[in-house]
Amino acid sequence: MPIFWHRRDLRASDNRGLAAAADDADGVVPAFVFDPDVLEHGSDARVRFMLDSLAELQESYRERGSDLVLTRGDPAEVLPALAAGVDAGTVHWNADYSGLAQDRDDRVEAALDGAGIDTETHHDAVLHEPGTIRTNAGEPYSVYTYFWKKWRDREKPEPFEAPDGTNLADASALATDALADSFAGAFDLDDALRAELPSIEQLGFEKPDADVQDGGTAAARDRLDAFCESAIFEYEEQREYPAKDGSSRLSPHLRFGTIGLREVYEATEAAMAEAERRDEAVRGADGDDELGPAQESVRTFQSQLAWREFYTQVLYFNPEIVTANYKSYEAPIDWRNDDDELAAWKAGETGYPIVDAGMRQLREEAWMHNRVRMIVASFLTKDLLWDWRAGYDHFRDRLVDHDTANDNGGWQWAASTGTDAQPYFRIFNPVTQGERYDPDAEYIREYVPELRGLDAAEIHGWVEKSDAERAELDVDYPDPIVDHGERRERALAMYKRARGEDPDE
């Protein structure tokens, strides 16, 4: 009777490790461990999403006549005790690729080995495991474009079937009383084995103020289906505009694994076939071999899946980048780090409307549109001259979809310290970014209600207006806290000094 240890894969369908465990025996014991070390890095929004997803997962097992065993504590102590309680010879899990996760898994594997229990690790959270896509010289890629070209041409695995009741341990064998003796004295925790999910408060968190989207596989599939019915065919054009419903908003589901990547990719391939039909209807079957606009849009969305795997591979081979710059400079970057300016950025009170709209969306929804993430990250690092790590920490505290690899890659890209990052001299102008990607100021008005009475030109012109002109508009919205032009020059000088160059040249 093997155990399958759920972590960032809160689903029964298209789960590589669970499917492998089900192939090995008549009854798999599904388990989840509330690990204090993991919860220490949690947030109200993510824990809420996780509990929603666990509730649905537990119910799916119960519908199959089994159950999800819920435990608390150090997995290196909990899992050997659970294995003893159900007489398991093997514990399966899906790989996680951060340095902390790998250290934890090494400890768990050593503890289980010491107890005479086998372990099997499976690659489930990526379509192509780290290290399988390399340069011709055999090195991991540090440039996305070349990684993407090989990634897109690799054959993708098919989704895995969910185990049925015959492949799962019977619920009667997983009753709390039957296992309680196995945990006695194993670790010093009250109520170590739970039949029911704890509340968010029992885990040390609070109900989030943000309107967090629903967790679970059903919600993930609803989003995927809706996206692949229409928005995916205009993704190339619409994804950059935060006022439009152009993104999939699957990122929390991919982060928690409530839907499998193989299932997502299969849906995009079905969308690609539909896109080809749409493009042919416009240009005719005798058109050239180039992808049409609908096909390009689907391909662009697939490239976003590849970006996630690229950053996962970068983190896997460079675990230190969670706190260290990926790119070396000759001298440390002299970040300015003004606490008042950081506080204004977090509160959405910078006086730059597109920046403030993004930060308020983060507060209200625990999520932010990707284009706006780039804008607010550039503003923090290049206008406020704050160390990217402060922005990363704030996003980790607020985002429901926080993913170590993806967020670290994004922040270091914006700060020009990461792999394949934007050049240090590329500095977003937040005013022109707002004009370009929110031309009618719809997004800004949604999240900055103080500006709803102004027209788009007045909103986008807020920064350039004089103090008297802003006062005349009579709105309760702050003046800009910095001058973008001045800060741009300071940022350029800061990076030049770090590069060992003369800042005056």
Side-chain angles (χ1 to χ4, degrees):
M1 186 181 288
I3 294 169
F4 178 72
W5 177 22
H6 280 281
R7 293 113 64 86
R8 289 183 52 173
D9 49 12
L10 304 184
R11 66 186 187 281
S13 58
D14 190 22
N15 188 317
R16 184 190 293 268
L18 179 60
D23 283 343
D24 286 348
D26 294 332
V28 180
V29 178
F32 182 85
V33 181
F34 290 100
D35 182 347
D37 288 343
V38 174
L39 291 172
E40 184 179 346
H41 294 91
S43 71
D44 295 344
R46 287 198 301 284
V47 172
R48 216 284 334 251
F49 189 93
M50 178 187 73
L51 287 173
D52 282 355
S53 301
L54 281 169
E56 185 189 82
L57 179 63
Q58 184 179 57
E59 183 59 28
S60 74
Y61 281 127
R62 289 176 174 178
E63 289 172 353
R64 294 174 170 89
S66 186
D67 208 341
L68 177 65
V69 176
L70 301 167
T71 68
R72 294 190 298 169
D74 182 348
E77 297 177 345
V78 170
L79 290 170
L82 177 59
V86 298
D87 194 25
T90 307
V91 177
H92 295 254
W93 64 76
N94 289 320
D96 199 349
Y97 302 107
S98 72
L100 288 175
Q102 291 182 69
D103 290 344
R104 173 201 60 199
D105 293 353
D106 288 345
R107 288 194 309 104
V108 172
E109 185 173 358
L112 289 167
D113 182 64
I117 300 163
D118 294 333
T119 60
E120 290 192 25
T121 303
H122 309 271
H123 294 282
D124 172 80
V126 290
L127 295 172
H128 305 294
E129 67 184 85
T132 59
I133 298 179
R134 293 176 178 263
T135 68
N136 294 337
E139 297 297 322
Y141 275 105
S142 60
V143 177
Y144 169 75
T145 304
Y146 302 120
F147 177 89
W148 156 241
K149 288 178 179 178
K150 287 188 177 179
W151 185 96
R152 75 184 184 193
D153 293 336
R154 291 283 178 93
E155 184 177 355
K156 303 297 185 286
E158 298 291 325
F160 294 91
E161 293 290 333
D164 59 28
T166 62
N167 302 120
L168 298 169
D170 188 85
S172 62
L174 304 178
T176 301
D177 291 344
L179 292 175
D181 291 343
S182 300
F183 287 90
F187 43 85
D188 186 19
L189 281 174
D190 293 332
D191 196 18
L193 184 68
R194 305 183 65 96
E196 301 298 333
L197 280 170
S199 68
I200 192 169
E201 292 84 2
Q202 287 171 316
L203 292 176
F205 296 86
E206 298 179 356
K207 293 179 181 178
D209 294 330
D211 183 15
V212 180
Q213 67 186 73
D214 293 337
T217 299
R221 284 177 169 163
D222 286 346
R223 286 197 175 273
L224 178 63
D225 291 346
F227 179 65
C228 288
E229 283 178 5
S230 58
I232 196 171
F233 304 116
E234 297 180 329
Y235 184 74
E236 173 71 23
E237 178 185 350
Q238 302 294 330
R239 67 191 176 109
E240 299 286 9
Y241 298 92
K244 299 181 184 294
D245 189 19
S247 66
S248 70
R249 294 197 66 158
L250 282 169
S251 53
H253 296 285
L254 295 175
R255 184 258 181 265
F256 281 95
T258 57
I259 193 167
L261 267 176
R262 291 153 297 276
E263 182 176 340
V264 172
Y265 189 82
E266 185 178 65
T268 67
E269 284 293 276
M272 182 66 83
E274 170 60 23
E276 184 176 7
R277 287 192 290 271
R278 292 186 180 207
D279 289 334
E280 285 185 357
V282 173
R283 68 186 182 188
D286 296 329
D288 58 39
D289 293 333
E290 295 294 322
L291 296 180
Q295 293 167 284
E296 285 286 2
S297 286
V298 176
R299 179 62 59 83
T300 297
F301 180 75
Q302 291 177 336
S303 75
Q304 298 304 301
L305 302 179
W307 264 112
R308 299 181 71 88
E309 298 199 10
F310 173 71
Y311 281 142
T312 295
Q313 175 164 289
V314 171
L315 178 65
Y316 179 75
F317 287 106
N318 306 275
E320 72 283 354
I321 64 170
V322 175
T323 55
N325 294 337
Y326 178 92
K327 180 184 294 184
S328 296
Y329 284 85
E330 290 191 17
I333 300 173
D334 186 22
W335 302 108
R336 186 169 178 273
N337 293 353
D338 181 284
D339 289 337
D340 290 338
E341 291 177 2
L342 177 65
W345 177 82
K346 289 181 178 180
E349 297 286 347
T350 68
Y352 282 81
I354 191 68
V355 173
D356 294 338
M359 298 307 295
R360 296 186 194 190
Q361 182 183 31
L362 175 62
R363 185 176 64 220
E364 293 177 21
E365 300 176 13
W367 186 86
M368 190 191 299
H369 185 274
N370 189 60
R371 166 55 60 175
V372 187
R373 293 188 197 203
M374 292 190 285
I375 295 170
V376 303
S378 179
F379 187 81
L380 182 70
T381 56
K382 304 287 179 69
D383 285 74
L384 302 188
L385 310 178
W386 254 95
D387 190 326
W388 64 265
R389 282 161 278 237
Y392 172 85
D393 288 346
H394 185 66
F395 271 32
R396 182 189 61 206
D397 291 342
R398 292 282 184 171
L399 282 173
V400 68
D401 62 6
H402 167 70
D403 175 273
T404 300
N406 213 44
D407 281 0
N408 182 274
W411 272 100
Q412 294 223 44
W413 180 89
S416 302
T417 61
T419 177
D420 206 12
Q422 65 173 341
Y424 76 92
F425 50 80
R426 184 184 178 194
I427 300 175
F428 285 178
N429 182 322
V431 174
T432 58
Q433 288 284 309
E435 291 172 335
R436 182 177 304 159
Y437 296 111
D438 189 28
D440 297 325
E442 296 174 73
Y443 174 78
I444 292 171
R445 288 195 193 93
E446 180 174 358
Y447 295 101
V448 187
E450 305 96 300
L451 300 178
R452 287 176 184 167
L454 305 184
D455 62 33
E458 290 172 325
I459 292 172
H460 293 308
W462 180 262
V463 172
E464 279 82 14
K465 293 181 183 300
S466 66
D467 291 345
E469 289 171 328
R470 285 192 290 267
E472 193 173 313
L473 291 174
D474 192 27
V475 295
D476 185 20
Y477 180 67
D479 293 341
I481 62 173
V482 296
D483 179 277
H484 170 72
E486 175 189 322
R487 288 300 177 88
R488 180 182 184 278
E489 294 305 314
R490 290 182 65 172
L492 291 173
M494 178 182 75
Y495 280 99
K496 284 182 179 180
R497 285 192 296 270
R499 288 163 55 89
E501 300 173 4
D502 185 344
D504 295 326
E505 291 184 357

